[in-house]
């Protein structure tokens, strides 16, 4: 392993430090749009994004590192994404428009989004409808088609999976289309556009890529500092999405759908076999911290204006399954326990700050019948944890061990 600052040199500067850092930054601005007019105005705009990353900084097993002052290991990731999907259609007879935005950030998409709503038919009878606008397997297939079914053609498989929603009304007798049927119309239009314009090679590369470790920082070797030892993993996500749809015609349907899942992993730890010591005396500490911040903001707007039937429907979904983990030890039976002999304070801290803002609005205006439906919801099912396992701490001089998890 690497040997860093192992000479006993009295002339070493008092501010001598070692810093091992990895940083990644992503800034994305995308627009998917469509405009159609004629006897039948059919328009679909689609924006699909897949972000998979690995940002890792470490002092590996077998390395011996010393510094008169600090030893820092930092892994930092910053993501800023703006997504827009818009469509407009004008039809003398039928105008059908739909906008779809689907983003997967971190790893494989995992969505089960079911909701219920009251629906009143033309006879003023109320029934409860249950919809699953984005099922887990269907969304995963949209983002990662099965190679066995695509016969080596990821583009065709991708488009075919977009067509996975049936556009037939499951309850035709109530004179109102259900949301799944509306979504089927939209995704079929989106599939046609993807298949006509996308690159099979680029799409195949994106769909077969897999994340390795998220944002990770760790020490697995021997580290001795005169002051502090810091191991930090930090990730920030700023995501904004707007989907809009407008339909004008004899009969008009406008649908807007936005789905975003976040499966980021941020991890900071002292690995089994590591031996870490800060300086002697007050204020010389060991810090292990994993931190994640996300700010997700979305808006879905759909409108329809018609002489006959006008239907406007909007669905927006945010799902956060991110994991933040800070720990000392990882229970590897093949390696010795982590040893921290000297520090004033040992802190193991995991934090998450999540802000989700979702808004769906729209409707229909008609001389005959107007129907509007809006669904907006956000889930936060991630894990924030800080723990110590398989470790020896305080054999020499440690005043305090602090564990904190907040998210």
């Amino acid at each position: 392993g690497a040997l860093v600052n192992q000479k006993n040199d009295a002339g070493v500067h008092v501010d001598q430090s070692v810093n091992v850092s990895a940083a990644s930054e992503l800034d994305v601005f995308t627009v998917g749009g469509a405009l159609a007019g004629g006897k039948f105005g059919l328009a679909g705009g689609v924006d699909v994004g897949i972000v998979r990353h690995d940002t890792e900084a470490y002092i590996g097993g077998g390395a011996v590192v010393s510094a008169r002052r600090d030893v820092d290991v930092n892994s930092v990731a910053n993501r800023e994404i703006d997504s827009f999907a818009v469509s407009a259609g004008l039809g003398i007879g039928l105008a059908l428009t739909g906008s779809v935005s689907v983003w997967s950030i971190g790893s494989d998409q995992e969505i089960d989004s079911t909701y219920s709503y009251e629906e009143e038919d033309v006879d003023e009878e109320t029934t409860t409808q249950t919809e699953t606008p984005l099922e887990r397997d269907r969304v995963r297939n949209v983002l990662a088609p099965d190679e066995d079914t695509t016969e080596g053609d990821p583009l065709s498989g991708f488009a075919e999976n977009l067509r996975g929603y049936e556009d037939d009304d499951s309850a035709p007798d109530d004179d109102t289309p259900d949301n799944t049927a509306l979504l089927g119309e939209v995704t079929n239009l989106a599939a046609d556009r993807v298949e006509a314009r996308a690159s099979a090679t680029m799409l195949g590369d994106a769909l077969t890529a897999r994340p390795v470790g998220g944002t990770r920082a760790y020490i697995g070797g021997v580290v001795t500092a005169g002051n502090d030892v810091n191991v930090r993993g930090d990730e920030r996500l700023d995501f904004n999405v707007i989907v809009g749809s407008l339909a004008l015609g004899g009969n008009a349907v406008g649908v807007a759908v936005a789905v975003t899942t976040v499966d980021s992993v941020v991890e900071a730890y002292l690995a089994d076999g590591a031996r870490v010591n800060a300086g002697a005396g007050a204020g010389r500490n060991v810090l292990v911290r994993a931190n994640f911040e996300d700010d997700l903001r979305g808006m879905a707007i759909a409108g329809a204006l018609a002489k006959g039937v006008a239907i406007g429907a909007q669905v927006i979904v945010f799902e956060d399954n991110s994991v933040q983990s800070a720990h000392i030890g990882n229970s590897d039976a093949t390696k010795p326990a982590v040893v921290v002999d000297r520090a004033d304070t040992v802190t193991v801290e995991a934090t998450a700050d999540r802000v989700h803002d979702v808004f769906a609005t729209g409707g229909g205006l008609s001389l005959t019948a107007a129907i509007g439906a809006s669904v907006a919801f956000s889930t936060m099912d991630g894990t924030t944890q800080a723990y110590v396992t398989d470790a020896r701490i305080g054999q020499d001089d440690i005043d305090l061990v602090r564990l904190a998890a907040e998210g």
Side-chain angles (χ1 to χ4, degrees):
L3 302 177
V4 180
N5 298 334
Q6 295 307 297
K7 277 190 173 183
N8 293 319
D9 188 348
V12 171
H13 196 279
V14 294
D15 288 331
Q16 178 198 60
S17 296
V18 174
N19 187 303
V20 179
S21 295
S24 64
E25 183 167 358
L26 176 70
D27 193 345
V28 177
F29 178 87
T30 63
V31 177
L35 176 65
K39 184 177 181 180
F40 299 100
L42 307 177
V46 61
D47 178 36
V48 177
I50 304 165
V51 178
R52 293 169 177 159
H53 72 279
D54 176 29
T55 307
E56 191 171 56
Y58 62 92
I59 296 175
V64 181
V65 177
S66 301
R68 286 285 298 273
R69 188 168 176 81
D70 300 329
V71 176
D72 292 287
V73 181
N74 301 300
S75 182
V76 181
N78 183 44
R79 323 254 175 250
E80 295 187 14
I81 301 170
D82 295 295
S83 167
F84 297 89
V86 294
S87 60
L90 174 63
I92 298 174
L94 171 66
L96 172 62
T97 66
S99 299
V100 178
S101 173
V102 179
W103 277 81
S104 172
I105 302 170
S107 59
D108 285 345
Q109 190 102 307
E110 292 284 344
I111 275 196
D112 275 322
S113 303
T114 302
Y115 63 91
S116 299
Y117 61 94
E118 298 292 329
E119 183 176 81
E120 185 175 288
D121 61 20
V122 292
D123 297 323
E124 298 185 351
E125 294 183 2
T126 301
T127 58
T128 299
Q129 302 290 341
T130 300
E131 303 288 358
T132 306
L134 293 160
E135 295 175 345
R136 171 179 296 164
D137 291 339
R138 186 172 295 167
V139 173
R140 182 188 290 118
N141 285 340
V142 167
L143 294 175
D146 188 341
E147 293 181 1
D148 293 339
T149 63
T150 61
E151 299 180 355
D153 185 354
L155 178 58
S156 295
F158 182 84
E160 198 60 36
N161 282 314
L162 271 178
R163 297 188 181 96
Y165 279 99
E166 296 293 337
D167 54 11
D168 294 333
D169 193 338
S170 60
D173 295 336
D174 64 5
D175 295 328
T176 61
D178 57 41
N179 284 1
T180 302
L182 294 176
L183 189 57
E185 296 277 6
V186 174
T187 53
N188 283 338
L189 291 171
D192 293 340
R193 293 179 60 82
V194 168
E195 199 163 32
R197 300 189 180 185
S199 163
T201 300
M202 292 178 63
L203 186 61
D205 290 345
L207 295 175
T208 55
R210 287 292 182 270
V212 179
T215 303
R216 176 179 296 176
Y218 70 91
I219 292 176
V222 178
V223 172
T224 304
N227 195 31
D228 296 335
V229 178
N230 301 302
V231 182
R232 307 182 186 96
D234 285 281
E235 182 172 335
R236 186 178 73 87
L237 171 63
D238 188 353
F239 183 87
N240 298 286
V241 58
I242 295 177
V243 289
S245 178
L246 176 64
L248 305 173
N251 295 293
V253 178
V255 181
V257 179
V259 177
T260 303
T261 59
V262 179
D263 294 290
S264 293
V265 176
V266 182
E267 188 175 20
Y269 62 99
L270 304 181
D272 285 344
R275 190 178 194 104
V276 176
N277 288 300
R284 291 169 169 81
N285 306 313
V286 172
L287 170 66
V288 179
R289 186 186 71 190
N291 177 63
F292 177 69
E293 300 175 18
D294 72 351
D295 188 346
L296 309 182
R297 300 181 185 274
M299 178 182 295
I301 303 173
L305 178 63
K307 181 179 179 181
V309 177
I311 300 172
Q314 311 81 39
V315 178
I316 186 165
V317 179
F318 284 161
E319 181 159 327
D320 186 343
N321 302 307
S322 60
V323 176
Q324 304 80 44
S325 180
H327 54 99
I328 295 179
N330 43 10
S331 301
D332 186 343
T334 66
K335 295 182 179 180
V338 177
V339 176
V340 182
D341 284 330
R342 186 178 65 243
D344 182 23
T345 300
V346 175
T347 299
V348 182
E349 182 179 66
T351 58
D353 183 8
R354 300 178 174 93
V355 177
H356 292 189
D357 186 2
V358 296
F359 178 73
T361 187
L365 181 62
S366 170
L367 298 176
T368 304
I371 302 166
S374 295
V375 177
F377 59 92
S378 170
T379 60
M380 301 181 188
D381 293 328
T383 302
T384 305
Q385 58 185 3
Y387 61 91
V388 175
T389 181
D390 197 17
R392 287 188 10 237
I393 300 175
Q395 301 301 305
D396 189 355
D397 183 17
I398 290 181
D399 184 57
L400 175 67
V401 176
R402 175 177 173 270
L403 299 178
E406 181 180 356

